[in-house]
């Protein structure tokens, strides 16, 4: 069951964050998909997703990657999109520092250019060193950078907190980054 949920969770991330068109799905401008349409279209693409499985994934996913609307007729990813959608994020005052986990091989370029959002809509920052280690390990030999977010905020940079508590911003200039 675990394995099956992981498969669906990956398929959902791909569909709801990056390529809804691959299964013929359309998201609205806030990233919401119609739940019945999503199930039907995933079923047509060899994924035997059901409402029960979807409810379990939304409730138990380790990072709470997906959220339903109030009456569970719609679902969206809470962050991580590469397609332009409006998550209705409100600016939030960040803590004094946040962390960013990355791979050793990115360091030189990060020192030169700061943290860039690459293919996503935002730069992702973590509240704890532990989370940053998990995020960075996906890319290679992990390095945890400390970002002086209070200083950035005071200098006028905007921060957002996704529904599943990932800190987001547009760009982190190199001068606010410490190793
Ligand atoms: C790096 C996962 C060179 C950046 C995680 C990262 C997160 C640079 C990579 C979420 C750079 C982008 C996002 C620069 C940034 N030069 N490399 N100037 N600026 N980078 O995956 O933050 O499991 O798009 O350090 O948990 O790793 O999908 O971003 O290594 O929350 O829910 O470019 O993805 O969430 O990689 O991860 P990503 P990320 P999910």
């Amino acid at each position: 069951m675990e394995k099956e949920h992981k498969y669906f969770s990956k398929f959902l991330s791909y569909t709801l964050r990056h390529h809804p068109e691959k299964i013929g799905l359309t998201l609205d401008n806030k990233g919401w998909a119609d739940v019945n349409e999503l199930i039907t279209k995933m079923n047509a693409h060899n994924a035997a997703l059901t409402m029960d499985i979807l409810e379990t994934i939304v409730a138990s996913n380790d990072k709470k990657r997906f959220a339903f609307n109030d009456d569970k007729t719609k679902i969206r990813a809470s962050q991580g999109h590469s397609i332009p959608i409006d998550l209705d994020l409100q600016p939030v005052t960040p803590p004094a520092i946040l962390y960013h986990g990355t791979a050793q091989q990115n360091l030189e370029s990060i020192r030169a250019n700061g943290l860039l959002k690459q293919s996503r809509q935002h730069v992702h920052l973590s509240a704890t060193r532990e989370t940053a280690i998990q995020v960075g390990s996906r890319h290679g030999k992990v390095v945890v950078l400390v970002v002086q977010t209070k200083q950035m905020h005071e200098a006028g940079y905007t921060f957002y907190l996704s529904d599943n508590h990932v800190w987001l911003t547009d760009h982190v200039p190199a001068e606010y980054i410490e190793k």
Side-chain angles (χ1 to χ4, degrees):
M1 206 55 172
E2 272 286 273
K3 217 171 157 191
E4 193 188 21
H5 286 171
K6 201 160 177 191
Y7 166 75
F8 286 126
S9 181
K10 289 211 154 161
F11 198 160
L12 284 170
S13 284
Y14 178 80
T15 305
L16 296 177
R17 291 170 167 179
H18 309 298
H19 288 292
E21 79 288 352
K22 286 277 162 72
I23 60 163
L25 187 71
T26 333
L27 309 183
D28 73 12
N29 64 342
K30 303 207 161 164
W32 294 106
D34 180 88
V35 167
N36 288 333
E37 189 187 347
L38 173 73
I39 291 174
T40 308
K41 292 192 167 159
M42 280 188 62
N43 291 169
H45 286 78
N46 270 332
L49 185 68
T50 62
M51 186 61 181
D52 273 358
I53 296 175
L54 207 50
E55 285 184 320
T56 308
I57 290 173
V58 169
S60 68
N61 185 270
D62 57 349
K63 275 187 68 188
K64 301 267 179 267
R65 290 183 176 87
F66 314 104
F68 284 121
N69 67 341
D70 286 345
D71 64 3
K72 295 191 179 173
T73 55
K74 293 180 186 180
I75 186 168
R76 74 175 175 185
S78 296
Q79 37 72 225
H81 300 81
S82 56
I83 43 180
I85 59 134
D86 174 10
L87 281 172
D88 270 338
L89 296 167
Q90 301 304 315
V92 184
T93 304
I97 57 165
L98 286 169
Y99 301 90
H100 180 85
T102 189
Q104 188 97 49
Q105 78 253 17
N106 296 334
L107 272 188
E108 203 182 317
S109 167
I110 291 174
R111 288 215 179 91
N113 306 306
L115 288 170
L116 306 174
K117 49 192 168 181
Q118 313 284 42
S119 64
R120 303 201 193 239
Q121 280 200 300
H122 296 98
V123 171
H124 289 223
L125 300 172
S126 307
T128 67
R129 189 174 277 278
E130 289 69 33
T131 304
I133 290 171
Q134 284 170 16
V135 173
S137 304
R138 293 157 44 250
H139 300 291
K141 190 170 183 299
V142 65
V143 183
V144 175
L145 307 173
V146 176
V147 179
Q148 296 298 331
T149 41
K150 182 164 182 268
Q151 284 176 26
M152 282 182 70
H153 185 247
E154 284 167 3
Y157 290 87
T158 306
F159 291 83
Y160 307 95
L161 192 54
S162 73
D163 282 352
N164 60 340
H165 298 105
V166 178
W167 284 93
L168 306 168
T169 194
D170 283 331
H171 173 227
V172 178
E175 69 251 41
Y176 297 104
I177 301 171
E178 287 163 19
K179 197 189 145 195

